[in-house]
mmCIF file of all heavy atoms in Angstrom:
data_model
loop_
_atom_site.group_PDB
_atom_site.id
_atom_site.type_symbol
_atom_site.label_atom_id
_atom_site.label_comp_id
_atom_site.label_asym_id
_atom_site.label_seq_id
_atom_site.Cartn_x
_atom_site.Cartn_y
_atom_site.Cartn_z
ATOM 1 N N LEU A 29 -116.184 35.066 -94.526
ATOM 2 C CA LEU A 29 -116.966 36.289 -94.464
ATOM 3 C C LEU A 29 -118.249 36.182 -95.287
ATOM 4 O O LEU A 29 -118.273 35.569 -96.361
ATOM 5 C CB LEU A 29 -116.146 37.475 -94.984
ATOM 6 C CG LEU A 29 -114.869 37.831 -94.210
ATOM 7 C CD1 LEU A 29 -114.094 38.904 -94.952
ATOM 8 C CD2 LEU A 29 -115.190 38.269 -92.788
ATOM 9 N N ASN A 30 -119.265 36.825 -94.770
ATOM 10 C CA ASN A 30 -120.521 36.995 -95.483
ATOM 11 C C ASN A 30 -120.597 38.437 -95.983
ATOM 12 O O ASN A 30 -120.339 39.387 -95.235
ATOM 13 C CB ASN A 30 -121.708 36.704 -94.566
ATOM 14 C CG ASN A 30 -123.034 36.985 -95.246
ATOM 15 O OD1 ASN A 30 -123.362 36.386 -96.261
ATOM 16 N ND2 ASN A 30 -123.806 37.916 -94.684
ATOM 17 N N VAL A 31 -120.941 38.599 -97.251
ATOM 18 C CA VAL A 31 -121.080 39.933 -97.837
ATOM 19 C C VAL A 31 -122.541 40.352 -97.686
ATOM 20 O O VAL A 31 -123.421 39.827 -98.369
ATOM 21 C CB VAL A 31 -120.650 39.936 -99.311
ATOM 22 C CG1 VAL A 31 -120.824 41.330 -99.914
ATOM 23 C CG2 VAL A 31 -119.192 39.486 -99.444
ATOM 24 N N ASN A 32 -122.776 41.298 -96.791
ATOM 25 C CA ASN A 32 -124.135 41.725 -96.462
ATOM 26 C C ASN A 32 -124.422 43.053 -97.164
ATOM 27 O O ASN A 32 -124.062 44.129 -96.669
ATOM 28 C CB ASN A 32 -124.289 41.869 -94.946
ATOM 29 C CG ASN A 32 -125.720 42.127 -94.521
ATOM 30 O OD1 ASN A 32 -126.502 42.727 -95.256
ATOM 31 N ND2 ASN A 32 -126.065 41.696 -93.312
ATOM 32 N N PHE A 33 -125.056 42.974 -98.319
ATOM 33 C CA PHE A 33 -125.337 44.193 -99.077
ATOM 34 C C PHE A 33 -126.396 45.049 -98.393
ATOM 35 O O PHE A 33 -126.378 46.273 -98.520
ATOM 36 C CB PHE A 33 -125.783 43.847 -100.501
ATOM 37 C CG PHE A 33 -124.643 43.552 -101.436
ATOM 38 C CD1 PHE A 33 -124.295 42.242 -101.735
ATOM 39 C CD2 PHE A 33 -123.903 44.573 -102.008
ATOM 40 C CE1 PHE A 33 -123.245 41.958 -102.593
ATOM 41 C CE2 PHE A 33 -122.855 44.310 -102.862
ATOM 42 C CZ PHE A 33 -122.517 42.993 -103.155
ATOM 43 N N LYS A 34 -127.311 44.416 -97.675
ATOM 44 C CA LYS A 34 -128.372 45.180 -97.021
ATOM 45 C C LYS A 34 -127.804 46.115 -95.975
ATOM 46 O O LYS A 34 -128.191 47.294 -95.881
ATOM 47 C CB LYS A 34 -129.390 44.231 -96.387
ATOM 48 C CG LYS A 34 -130.576 44.939 -95.752
ATOM 49 C CD LYS A 34 -131.580 43.941 -95.199
ATOM 50 C CE LYS A 34 -132.768 44.657 -94.568
ATOM 51 N NZ LYS A 34 -133.769 43.705 -94.014
ATOM 52 N N GLU A 35 -126.845 45.619 -95.180
ATOM 53 C CA GLU A 35 -126.239 46.430 -94.127
ATOM 54 C C GLU A 35 -124.926 47.065 -94.573
ATOM 55 O O GLU A 35 -124.314 47.813 -93.808
ATOM 56 C CB GLU A 35 -126.008 45.584 -92.874
ATOM 57 C CG GLU A 35 -127.294 45.054 -92.245
ATOM 58 C CD GLU A 35 -127.034 44.324 -90.937
ATOM 59 O OE1 GLU A 35 -126.005 44.616 -90.284
ATOM 60 O OE2 GLU A 35 -127.858 43.456 -90.573
ATOM 61 N N THR A 36 -124.486 46.777 -95.783
ATOM 62 C CA THR A 36 -123.186 47.216 -96.322
ATOM 63 C C THR A 36 -122.056 46.917 -95.339
ATOM 64 O O THR A 36 -121.287 47.802 -94.950
ATOM 65 C CB THR A 36 -123.186 48.707 -96.736
ATOM 66 O OG1 THR A 36 -123.492 49.529 -95.599
ATOM 67 C CG2 THR A 36 -124.182 48.967 -97.839
ATOM 68 N N LYS A 37 -121.955 45.640 -94.984
ATOM 69 C CA LYS A 37 -120.924 45.189 -94.057
ATOM 70 C C LYS A 37 -120.400 43.825 -94.495
ATOM 71 O O LYS A 37 -121.124 43.027 -95.099
ATOM 72 C CB LYS A 37 -121.481 45.056 -92.639
ATOM 73 C CG LYS A 37 -121.910 46.352 -91.973
ATOM 74 C CD LYS A 37 -122.459 46.084 -90.574
ATOM 75 C CE LYS A 37 -122.863 47.379 -89.875
ATOM 76 N NZ LYS A 37 -123.400 47.107 -88.519
ATOM 77 N N LEU A 38 -119.145 43.570 -94.157
ATOM 78 C CA LEU A 38 -118.589 42.219 -94.176
ATOM 79 C C LEU A 38 -118.702 41.677 -92.757
ATOM 80 O O LEU A 38 -118.314 42.361 -91.796
ATOM 81 C CB LEU A 38 -117.131 42.222 -94.624
ATOM 82 C CG LEU A 38 -116.833 42.740 -96.029
ATOM 83 C CD1 LEU A 38 -115.337 42.684 -96.299
ATOM 84 C CD2 LEU A 38 -117.584 41.949 -97.089
ATOM 85 N N GLN A 39 -119.183 40.452 -92.624
ATOM 86 C CA GLN A 39 -119.414 39.872 -91.298
ATOM 87 C C GLN A 39 -118.858 38.459 -91.265
ATOM 88 O O GLN A 39 -119.083 37.680 -92.208
ATOM 89 C CB GLN A 39 -120.923 39.837 -90.994
ATOM 90 C CG GLN A 39 -121.569 41.219 -90.982
ATOM 91 C CD GLN A 39 -123.071 41.180 -91.033
ATOM 92 O OE1 GLN A 39 -123.648 40.361 -91.746
ATOM 93 N NE2 GLN A 39 -123.735 42.060 -90.283
ATOM 94 N N GLY A 40 -118.134 38.120 -90.215
ATOM 95 C CA GLY A 40 -117.617 36.766 -90.119
ATOM 96 C C GLY A 40 -116.403 36.657 -89.240
ATOM 97 O O GLY A 40 -116.351 37.224 -88.141
ATOM 98 N N ARG A 41 -115.375 35.989 -89.767
ATOM 99 C CA ARG A 41 -114.251 35.596 -88.917
ATOM 100 C C ARG A 41 -112.938 35.699 -89.682
ATOM 101 O O ARG A 41 -112.873 35.413 -90.886
ATOM 102 C CB ARG A 41 -114.463 34.139 -88.475
ATOM 103 C CG ARG A 41 -113.528 33.645 -87.390
ATOM 104 C CD ARG A 41 -113.768 32.181 -87.065
ATOM 105 N NE ARG A 41 -113.176 31.304 -88.079
ATOM 106 C CZ ARG A 41 -113.864 30.566 -88.935
ATOM 107 N NH1 ARG A 41 -115.196 30.602 -88.937
ATOM 108 N NH2 ARG A 41 -113.240 29.797 -89.814
ATOM 109 N N ALA A 42 -111.906 36.102 -88.973
ATOM 110 C CA ALA A 42 -110.536 36.065 -89.488
ATOM 111 C C ALA A 42 -109.711 35.151 -88.601
ATOM 112 O O ALA A 42 -109.653 35.359 -87.380
ATOM 113 C CB ALA A 42 -109.930 37.466 -89.516
ATOM 114 N N ASP A 43 -109.111 34.123 -89.185
ATOM 115 C CA ASP A 43 -108.243 33.199 -88.453
ATOM 116 C C ASP A 43 -106.799 33.563 -88.758
ATOM 117 O O ASP A 43 -106.372 33.492 -89.917
ATOM 118 C CB ASP A 43 -108.507 31.752 -88.869
ATOM 119 C CG ASP A 43 -109.930 31.306 -88.569
ATOM 120 O OD1 ASP A 43 -110.521 31.845 -87.621
ATOM 121 O OD2 ASP A 43 -110.438 30.405 -89.285
ATOM 122 N N LEU A 44 -106.058 33.954 -87.725
ATOM 123 C CA LEU A 44 -104.686 34.428 -87.892
ATOM 124 C C LEU A 44 -103.703 33.383 -87.377
ATOM 125 O O LEU A 44 -103.772 32.971 -86.211
ATOM 126 C CB LEU A 44 -104.486 35.744 -87.120
ATOM 127 C CG LEU A 44 -104.955 37.045 -87.781
ATOM 128 C CD1 LEU A 44 -106.418 37.003 -88.183
ATOM 129 C CD2 LEU A 44 -104.681 38.225 -86.881
ATOM 130 N N THR A 45 -102.817 32.936 -88.255
ATOM 131 C CA THR A 45 -101.766 31.998 -87.877
ATOM 132 C C THR A 45 -100.553 32.783 -87.397
ATOM 133 O O THR A 45 -100.095 33.706 -88.077
ATOM 134 C CB THR A 45 -101.380 31.101 -89.062
ATOM 135 O OG1 THR A 45 -102.551 30.410 -89.531
ATOM 136 C CG2 THR A 45 -100.332 30.089 -88.657
ATOM 137 N N LEU A 46 -100.033 32.405 -86.202
ATOM 138 C CA LEU A 46 -99.010 33.217 -85.541
ATOM 139 C C LEU A 46 -97.635 32.567 -85.590
ATOM 140 O O LEU A 46 -97.494 31.339 -85.631
ATOM 141 C CB LEU A 46 -99.399 33.449 -84.072
ATOM 142 C CG LEU A 46 -100.791 34.014 -83.805
ATOM 143 C CD1 LEU A 46 -100.968 34.277 -82.308
ATOM 144 C CD2 LEU A 46 -101.036 35.275 -84.617
ATOM 145 N N ASN A 47 -96.634 33.426 -85.555
ATOM 146 C CA ASN A 47 -95.243 32.998 -85.387
ATOM 147 C C ASN A 47 -94.599 33.904 -84.359
ATOM 148 O O ASN A 47 -94.123 34.993 -84.686
ATOM 149 C CB ASN A 47 -94.481 33.077 -86.715
ATOM 150 C CG ASN A 47 -93.022 32.664 -86.568
ATOM 151 O OD1 ASN A 47 -92.634 32.051 -85.569
ATOM 152 N ND2 ASN A 47 -92.212 33.013 -87.552
ATOM 153 N N PRO A 48 -94.589 33.486 -83.066
ATOM 154 C CA PRO A 48 -93.977 34.338 -82.038
ATOM 155 C C PRO A 48 -92.472 34.409 -82.232
ATOM 156 O O PRO A 48 -91.818 33.410 -82.525
ATOM 157 C CB PRO A 48 -94.343 33.615 -80.742
ATOM 158 C CG PRO A 48 -94.602 32.205 -81.135
ATOM 159 C CD PRO A 48 -95.144 32.239 -82.526
ATOM 160 N N ARG A 49 -91.932 35.617 -82.108
ATOM 161 C CA ARG A 49 -90.488 35.812 -82.292
ATOM 162 C C ARG A 49 -89.731 35.732 -80.973
ATOM 163 O O ARG A 49 -88.509 35.788 -80.956
ATOM 164 C CB ARG A 49 -90.249 37.177 -82.942
ATOM 165 C CG ARG A 49 -90.971 37.350 -84.275
ATOM 166 C CD ARG A 49 -90.447 36.404 -85.323
ATOM 167 N NE ARG A 49 -91.209 36.431 -86.567
ATOM 168 C CZ ARG A 49 -91.015 37.263 -87.574
ATOM 169 N NH1 ARG A 49 -90.110 38.210 -87.477
ATOM 170 N NH2 ARG A 49 -91.739 37.168 -88.669
ATOM 171 N N SER A 50 -90.498 35.639 -79.860
ATOM 172 C CA SER A 50 -89.870 35.558 -78.534
ATOM 173 C C SER A 50 -90.792 34.791 -77.601
ATOM 174 O O SER A 50 -92.013 34.971 -77.633
ATOM 175 C CB SER A 50 -89.610 36.966 -77.982
ATOM 176 O OG SER A 50 -89.276 36.904 -76.604
ATOM 177 N N GLN A 51 -90.230 33.943 -76.775
ATOM 178 C CA GLN A 51 -91.028 33.185 -75.808
ATOM 179 C C GLN A 51 -91.626 34.090 -74.735
ATOM 180 O O GLN A 51 -92.584 33.717 -74.059
ATOM 181 C CB GLN A 51 -90.176 32.094 -75.153
ATOM 182 C CG GLN A 51 -89.833 30.946 -76.084
ATOM 183 C CD GLN A 51 -91.061 30.261 -76.655
ATOM 184 O OE1 GLN A 51 -92.001 29.941 -75.924
ATOM 185 N NE2 GLN A 51 -91.069 30.043 -77.969
ATOM 186 N N GLU A 52 -91.069 35.291 -74.577
ATOM 187 C CA GLU A 52 -91.590 36.222 -73.580
ATOM 188 C C GLU A 52 -92.792 37.012 -74.100
ATOM 189 O O GLU A 52 -93.397 37.794 -73.381
ATOM 190 C CB GLU A 52 -90.504 37.218 -73.144
ATOM 191 C CG GLU A 52 -89.413 36.614 -72.260
ATOM 192 C CD GLU A 52 -88.481 35.688 -73.009
ATOM 193 O OE1 GLU A 52 -88.047 36.055 -74.133
ATOM 194 O OE2 GLU A 52 -88.213 34.579 -72.502
ATOM 195 N N THR A 53 -93.149 36.802 -75.362
ATOM 196 C CA THR A 53 -94.244 37.541 -75.956
ATOM 197 C C THR A 53 -95.566 37.187 -75.282
ATOM 198 O O THR A 53 -95.911 36.019 -75.137
ATOM 199 C CB THR A 53 -94.335 37.239 -77.461
ATOM 200 O OG1 THR A 53 -93.130 37.654 -78.081
ATOM 201 C CG2 THR A 53 -95.503 37.981 -78.083
ATOM 202 N N THR A 54 -96.304 38.201 -74.865
ATOM 203 C CA THR A 54 -97.596 37.974 -74.192
ATOM 204 C C THR A 54 -98.755 38.622 -74.926
ATOM 205 O O THR A 54 -99.909 38.395 -74.567
ATOM 206 C CB THR A 54 -97.558 38.535 -72.759
ATOM 207 O OG1 THR A 54 -97.305 39.960 -72.812
ATOM 208 C CG2 THR A 54 -96.476 37.857 -71.930
ATOM 209 N N GLN A 55 -98.466 39.435 -75.964
ATOM 210 C CA GLN A 55 -99.528 40.167 -76.643
ATOM 211 C C GLN A 55 -99.354 40.104 -78.160
ATOM 212 O O GLN A 55 -98.234 40.058 -78.672
ATOM 213 C CB GLN A 55 -99.523 41.644 -76.222
ATOM 214 C CG GLN A 55 -99.822 41.893 -74.758
ATOM 215 C CD GLN A 55 -99.766 43.369 -74.418
ATOM 216 O OE1 GLN A 55 -99.038 44.143 -75.058
ATOM 217 N NE2 GLN A 55 -100.531 43.792 -73.414
ATOM 218 N N LEU A 56 -100.480 40.090 -78.835
ATOM 219 C CA LEU A 56 -100.520 40.259 -80.277
ATOM 220 C C LEU A 56 -101.149 41.622 -80.548
ATOM 221 O O LEU A 56 -102.270 41.884 -80.117
ATOM 222 C CB LEU A 56 -101.362 39.157 -80.923
ATOM 223 C CG LEU A 56 -101.670 39.329 -82.423
ATOM 224 C CD1 LEU A 56 -100.390 39.256 -83.252
ATOM 225 C CD2 LEU A 56 -102.674 38.264 -82.886
ATOM 226 N N VAL A 57 -100.412 42.492 -81.227
ATOM 227 C CA VAL A 57 -100.909 43.833 -81.519
ATOM 228 C C VAL A 57 -101.224 43.932 -83.014
ATOM 229 O O VAL A 57 -100.361 43.682 -83.865
ATOM 230 C CB VAL A 57 -99.891 44.925 -81.123
ATOM 231 C CG1 VAL A 57 -100.486 46.307 -81.372
ATOM 232 C CG2 VAL A 57 -99.486 44.763 -79.670
ATOM 233 N N LEU A 58 -102.477 44.289 -83.301
ATOM 234 C CA LEU A 58 -102.951 44.400 -84.675
ATOM 235 C C LEU A 58 -103.439 45.814 -84.948
ATOM 236 O O LEU A 58 -103.627 46.612 -84.027
ATOM 237 C CB LEU A 58 -104.106 43.421 -84.915
ATOM 238 C CG LEU A 58 -103.852 41.948 -84.622
ATOM 239 C CD1 LEU A 58 -105.145 41.153 -84.761
ATOM 240 C CD2 LEU A 58 -102.774 41.379 -85.542
ATOM 241 N N ASP A 59 -103.663 46.093 -86.219
ATOM 242 C CA ASP A 59 -104.291 47.347 -86.628
ATOM 243 C C ASP A 59 -105.782 47.122 -86.835
ATOM 244 O O ASP A 59 -106.214 46.059 -87.317
ATOM 245 C CB ASP A 59 -103.677 47.847 -87.941
ATOM 246 C CG ASP A 59 -102.242 48.302 -87.765
ATOM 247 O OD1 ASP A 59 -102.029 49.260 -87.005
ATOM 248 O OD2 ASP A 59 -101.341 47.691 -88.378
ATOM 249 N N SER A 60 -106.564 48.133 -86.488
ATOM 250 C CA SER A 60 -108.018 48.055 -86.608
ATOM 251 C C SER A 60 -108.542 49.455 -86.878
ATOM 252 O O SER A 60 -108.013 50.431 -86.349
ATOM 253 C CB SER A 60 -108.620 47.495 -85.320
ATOM 254 O OG SER A 60 -110.025 47.604 -85.311
ATOM 255 N N ARG A 61 -109.583 49.534 -87.694
ATOM 256 C CA ARG A 61 -110.232 50.827 -87.901
ATOM 257 C C ARG A 61 -111.737 50.623 -88.055
ATOM 258 O O ARG A 61 -112.194 50.033 -89.045
ATOM 259 C CB ARG A 61 -109.674 51.529 -89.140
ATOM 260 C CG ARG A 61 -110.301 52.912 -89.352
ATOM 261 C CD ARG A 61 -109.682 53.645 -90.509
ATOM 262 N NE ARG A 61 -110.354 54.917 -90.723
ATOM 263 C CZ ARG A 61 -110.119 55.736 -91.729
ATOM 264 N NH1 ARG A 61 -109.198 55.434 -92.612
ATOM 265 N NH2 ARG A 61 -110.781 56.863 -91.847
ATOM 266 N N ASP A 62 -112.476 51.073 -87.061
ATOM 267 C CA ASP A 62 -113.940 51.011 -87.082
ATOM 268 C C ASP A 62 -114.466 49.586 -87.209
ATOM 269 O O ASP A 62 -115.554 49.362 -87.754
ATOM 270 C CB ASP A 62 -114.505 51.872 -88.220
ATOM 271 C CG ASP A 62 -114.131 53.338 -88.085
ATOM 272 O OD1 ASP A 62 -114.025 53.801 -86.942
ATOM 273 O OD2 ASP A 62 -113.936 54.006 -89.114
ATOM 274 N N LEU A 63 -113.721 48.593 -86.699
ATOM 275 C CA LEU A 63 -114.187 47.211 -86.692
ATOM 276 C C LEU A 63 -114.931 46.933 -85.387
ATOM 277 O O LEU A 63 -114.526 47.399 -84.326
ATOM 278 C CB LEU A 63 -113.021 46.232 -86.823
ATOM 279 C CG LEU A 63 -112.178 46.307 -88.101
ATOM 280 C CD1 LEU A 63 -111.023 45.322 -88.027
ATOM 281 C CD2 LEU A 63 -113.026 46.048 -89.342
ATOM 282 N N SER A 64 -115.996 46.151 -85.479
ATOM 283 C CA SER A 64 -116.711 45.703 -84.278
ATOM 284 C C SER A 64 -116.283 44.273 -83.972
ATOM 285 O O SER A 64 -116.578 43.356 -84.753
ATOM 286 C CB SER A 64 -118.229 45.762 -84.508
ATOM 287 O OG SER A 64 -118.658 47.094 -84.701
ATOM 288 N N ILE A 65 -115.568 44.100 -82.879
ATOM 289 C CA ILE A 65 -115.044 42.789 -82.498
ATOM 290 C C ILE A 65 -116.046 42.106 -81.577
ATOM 291 O O ILE A 65 -116.469 42.684 -80.569
ATOM 292 C CB ILE A 65 -113.680 42.911 -81.793
ATOM 293 C CG1 ILE A 65 -112.718 43.790 -82.612
ATOM 294 C CG2 ILE A 65 -113.085 41.534 -81.531
ATOM 295 C CD1 ILE A 65 -112.374 43.261 -83.971
ATOM 296 N N THR A 66 -116.410 40.867 -81.905
ATOM 297 C CA THR A 66 -117.359 40.112 -81.082
ATOM 298 C C THR A 66 -116.648 39.205 -80.097
ATOM 299 O O THR A 66 -117.012 39.124 -78.912
ATOM 300 C CB THR A 66 -118.284 39.270 -81.970
ATOM 301 O OG1 THR A 66 -118.944 40.121 -82.902
ATOM 302 C CG2 THR A 66 -119.325 38.539 -81.129
ATOM 303 N N SER A 67 -115.616 38.495 -80.567
ATOM 304 C CA SER A 67 -114.886 37.586 -79.690
ATOM 305 C C SER A 67 -113.526 37.270 -80.286
ATOM 306 O O SER A 67 -113.323 37.399 -81.505
ATOM 307 C CB SER A 67 -115.662 36.280 -79.472
ATOM 308 O OG SER A 67 -115.708 35.515 -80.669
#
């Protein structure tokens, strides 16, 4: 993450390591609040 004081934002990337509990799992559900997702 880059700490952008001018825009008062954190900008960058989160890399999440996964452990699926079932082979039938097709979705990862996360919590988000007012985040702008780029990709």
Side-chain angles (χ1 to χ4, degrees):
L29 298 173
N30 175 61
V31 179
N32 188 330
F33 279 100
K34 183 177 180 180
E35 297 185 25
T36 60
K37 294 179 179 180
L38 298 179
Q39 299 165 321
R41 191 183 78 249
D43 298 332
L44 279 55
T45 303
L46 307 184
N47 179 16
R49 303 295 173 86
S50 167
Q51 289 302 313
E52 288 71 45
T53 299
T54 61
Q55 296 179 332
L56 171 65
V57 183
L58 304 173
D59 291 298
S60 170
R61 182 176 177 186
D62 299 327
L63 298 177
S64 295
I65 310 297
T66 304
S67 69

